[in-house]
């Protein structure tokens, strides 16, 4: 029975350590059509997903649309969530990220966006956001992990993930060869993984 | 293994690849368990970065999401959980039109559309979606974009048209209720204009399905609206902001029935 297979173990992902509710259980209940469970799931994750979407999309009105689309997708597909492919939160964030990236790329296809490396903007927004949110254990861990990256790795990873850029764009933005951008993104993520001790 | 291919695992994990690179890397993933594991781990690592950018959405979004899900049917669970079932790898890609339309359980829960669909073949070239990768490990939503899910849907129907020497197509999944417009090289619209997509809905006529992003290149865009109910689709040239109703003759028509 597939539903049973989808019942994840307690979510042990480091990124959800401070998230409170058992997201795996909420997803499983949601998969059975339990709207109240989905509401709980939303409450537990909305700031995380929406923050990521806003970071990539920037435009608030569009971000809200993308966040809603992401939750609708999660609702439709939670019947197929497979815990062997990652934690519930990582799965949900992957969906939201993909939606956000799709949105900015389709918008950019219509009008080539002027691209500049906004490292100062990134840092400023980063700090403002942090002031607003309750400091959490996992955020501290993430910052420590980010500090373990070399500056060049961190720049490449942030442009790719938080900026929603392709590795080709990252190379152009940083003025580095294509292969180098690819390597930096991968090496940076590997170091993050190892520092966070993320287990899939 | 080509080290270049393997090096793409990081960029792929954070969606930092083009659709084309994504497809080619997914072909590699089918045969490389190491890369599959790495992508999963790197996705989890990247997800941790989102902890640093938290931002609660406006309260109204909650109601909006919850009322939307109340009206949205969930997908049935996948019948097979084996992640590496080789038969699943070909089910979507080798099926003939007949099997794609009649044997899949998703399709059979819907009105059969094969007969009217074949009737339309005289007006438009109709092809099965035969070249898409149906990667067995990768059939979940975490790895597929919304448009890819339509393109790779078991019941996907593809209606193609030539346009200015290139090829455009609408791929529709009745089971998903969605349709995707694809073009290898979409001609750019004249200045101040845009190509707009329309769905022909019974009782409502042509309803806007969104604008096609201006381009001289490949385009993949999801149509807005209920593609399951639509009997056809069309494209017109409209002012850049789009129109409520078509203001010019269609440059392309696609018949679903």
């Amino acid at each position: 029975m597939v539903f049973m297979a989808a019942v994840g173990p307690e979510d042990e992902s480091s990124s959800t350590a401070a998230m409170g509710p058992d997201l795996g259980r909420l997803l499983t209940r949601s998969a059975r059509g339990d709207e109240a469970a989905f509401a709980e799931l939303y409450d537990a994750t909305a700031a995380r997903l929406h923050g990521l979407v806003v970071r990539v999309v920037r435009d608030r009105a569009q971000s809200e649309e993308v966040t809603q689309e992401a939750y609708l997708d999660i609702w439709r597909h939670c019947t197929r969530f497979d815990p062997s492919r990652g934690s519930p939160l990582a799965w949900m964030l992957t969906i939201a990220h993909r939606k956000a990236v799709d949105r900015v790329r389709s918008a950019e296809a219509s009008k080539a966006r002027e691209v500049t490396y906004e490292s100062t903007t990134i840092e400023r927004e980063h700090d403002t956001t942090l002031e607003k949110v309750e400091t959490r254990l996992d955020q501290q861990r993430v910052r420590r992990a980010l500090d373990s990256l070399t500056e060049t790795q961190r720049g490449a990873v942030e442009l790719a993930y938080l900026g929603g850029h392709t590795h080709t764009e990252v190379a152009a933005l940083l003025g580095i060869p294509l292969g180098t951008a690819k390597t930096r993104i991968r090496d940076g993520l590997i170091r993050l993984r190892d520092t966070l001790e993320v287990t899939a | 293994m080509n080290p270049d291919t393997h090096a793409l695992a990081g960029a792929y994990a954070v969606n930092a690849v083009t659709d084309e690179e994504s497809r080619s890397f997914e072909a590699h993933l089918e045969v490389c368990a190491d890369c599959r594991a790495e992508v999963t781990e790197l996705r989890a690592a990247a997800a941790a970065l989102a902890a640093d950018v938290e931002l609660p959405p406006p309260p109204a979004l909650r109601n909006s999401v919850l009322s939307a899900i109340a009206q949205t049917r969930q997908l049935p669970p996948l019948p097979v959980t084996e992640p590496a079932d080789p038969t699943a790898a070909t089910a979507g890609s080798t099926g003939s039109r007949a099997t794609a339309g009649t044997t899949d359980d998703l399709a059979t829960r819907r009105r059969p559309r094969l007969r009217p669909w074949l009737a339309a073949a005289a007006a438009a070239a109709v092809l099965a979606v035969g070249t898409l990768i149906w990667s067995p490990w990768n059939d979940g939503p975490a790895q597929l974009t919304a448009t890819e899910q339509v393109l790779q849907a078991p019941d996907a129907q593809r209606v193609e048209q030539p346009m200015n020497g290139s090829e455009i197509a609408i791929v529709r999944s009745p089971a998903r209720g969605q349709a995707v417009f694809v073009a290898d090289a979409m001609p750019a619209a004249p200045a101040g204009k845009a190509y707009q997509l329309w769905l022909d809905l019974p009782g409502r006529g042509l309803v806007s399905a969104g604008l096609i992003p201006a381009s001289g290149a490949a385009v993949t865009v999801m149509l807005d609206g209920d593609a399951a109910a639509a009997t056809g689709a069309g494209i017109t040239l409209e002012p850049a902001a789009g129109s409520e109703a078509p203001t010019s003759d269609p440059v392309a028509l696609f018949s679903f029935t």
Side-chain angles (χ1 to χ4, degrees):
Chain A
M1 173 93 188
V2 175
F3 280 144
M4 300 313 289
V7 177
E10 292 289 314
D11 180 16
E12 288 159 2
S13 163
S14 58
S15 58
T16 60
M19 296 297 288
D22 178 345
L23 301 183
R25 197 176 305 259
L26 290 177
L27 261 187
T28 306
R29 283 170 53 201
S30 299
R32 294 171 187 149
D34 184 339
E35 293 171 28
F38 195 79
E40 272 188 67
L41 188 69
Y42 177 91
D43 292 338
T45 57
R48 194 65 65 95
L49 266 66
H50 190 61
L52 177 61
V53 168
V54 169
R55 193 63 176 70
V56 174
V57 175
R58 304 260 174 167
D59 179 90
R60 291 302 161 93
Q62 285 198 55
S63 297
E64 287 167 30
E65 285 173 24
V66 170
T67 300
Q68 169 149 353
E69 284 170 18
Y71 274 103
L72 260 182
D73 240 34
I74 290 163
W75 168 255
R76 298 185 69 222
H77 290 91
C78 58
T79 48
R80 297 180 175 186
F81 169 68
D82 177 356
S84 73
R85 289 186 198 167
S87 75
L89 187 60
W91 179 73
M92 294 172 73
L93 283 166
T94 303
I95 291 175
H97 188 256
R98 191 69 203 230
K99 288 263 174 210
V101 164
D102 281 351
R103 175 64 67 108
V104 294
R105 296 214 181 126
S106 68
E108 278 159 10
S110 56
K111 48 180 180 190
R113 189 176 67 166
E114 188 182 325
V115 283
T116 47
Y117 181 31
E118 302 167 337
S119 57
T120 51
T121 315
I122 288 169
E123 289 307 320
R124 195 164 59 244
E125 293 198 354
H126 170 94
D127 291 336
T128 317
T129 310
L130 285 176
E131 280 165 17
K132 282 187 215 154
V133 298
E134 187 186 343
T135 304
R136 289 176 141 150
L137 189 62
D138 50 351
Q139 287 173 332
Q140 292 171 359
R141 291 182 66 238
V142 168
R143 256 170 284 150
R144 274 203 304 274
L146 275 172
D147 287 343
S148 77
L149 270 57
T150 67
E151 205 160 311
T152 54
Q153 287 172 344
R154 181 174 175 160
V157 167
E158 288 192 339
L159 280 174
Y161 188 65
L162 300 177
H165 292 290
T166 65
H167 68 97
T168 310
E169 292 166 349
V170 170
L173 290 169
L174 296 178
I176 55 178
L178 277 182
T180 310
K182 252 192 296 195
T183 310
R184 279 191 197 167
I185 293 168
R186 178 161 175 247
D187 290 351
L189 288 171
I190 287 172
R191 177 137 0 155
L192 258 187
R193 174 196 70 187
D194 295 344
T195 313
L196 290 168
E197 293 175 339
V198 178
T199 50
Chain B
M1 167 201 321
N2 182 342
D4 269 5
T5 307
H6 199 92
L8 206 58
Y12 177 82
V14 292
N15 299 319
V17 289
T18 63
D19 289 347
E20 208 168 300
E21 288 167 331
S22 174
R23 275 192 289 276
S24 113
F25 190 72
E26 280 162 8
H28 168 69
L29 284 175
E30 285 188 47
V31 296
C32 181
D34 285 349
C35 278
R36 286 201 296 272
E38 183 172 311
V39 164
T40 305
E41 290 169 3
L42 297 188
R43 279 199 169 133
L49 293 177
D52 236 9
V53 294
E54 284 201 343
L55 185 69
L61 193 66
R62 187 180 193 271
N63 281 340
S64 175
V65 165
L66 295 181
S67 57
I69 64 145
Q71 298 172 50
T72 303
R73 183 173 167 77
Q74 295 173 295
L75 297 179
L78 292 172
V80 180
T81 55
E82 294 293 317
D85 178 359
T87 60
T90 53
S93 55
T94 60
S96 68
R97 287 184 302 208
T99 57
T102 57
T103 63
D104 183 79
D105 63 331
L106 287 177
T108 51
R109 290 190 298 106
R110 293 274 171 169
R111 299 177 298 283
R113 291 191 162 268
L114 191 61
R115 187 193 51 75
W117 178 37
L118 287 173
V126 179
L127 298 173
V129 181
T131 55
L132 290 164
I133 297 156
W134 184 258
S135 49
W137 84 281
N138 201 17
D139 50 7
Q143 289 80 20
L144 294 180
T145 63
T147 53
E148 285 167 350
Q149 286 170 41
V150 173
L151 296 175
Q152 301 186 17
D155 68 333
Q157 302 170 349
R158 184 178 178 108
V159 185
E160 292 185 343
Q161 299 265 328
M163 182 175 183
N164 293 10
S166 82
E167 199 161 74
I168 59 176
I170 286 185
V171 179
R172 186 176 73 122
S173 163
R176 299 183 58 87
Q178 291 177 312
V180 171
F181 172 81
V182 288
D184 293 338
M186 186 67 196
K193 300 276 189 179
Y195 288 109
Q196 186 165 3
L197 289 156
W198 306 90
L199 281 176
D200 192 2
L201 294 171
R204 294 178 61 195
L206 291 176
V207 175
S208 175
L211 296 173
I212 299 175
S215 164
V219 170
T220 303
V221 61
M222 181 79 78
L223 273 68
D224 299 331
D226 182 0
T231 56
I235 299 173
T236 61
L237 198 56
E238 299 294 334
S243 303
E244 289 284 310
T247 61
S248 64
D249 289 336
V251 295
L253 282 173
F254 305 84
S255 178
F256 300 151
T257 58

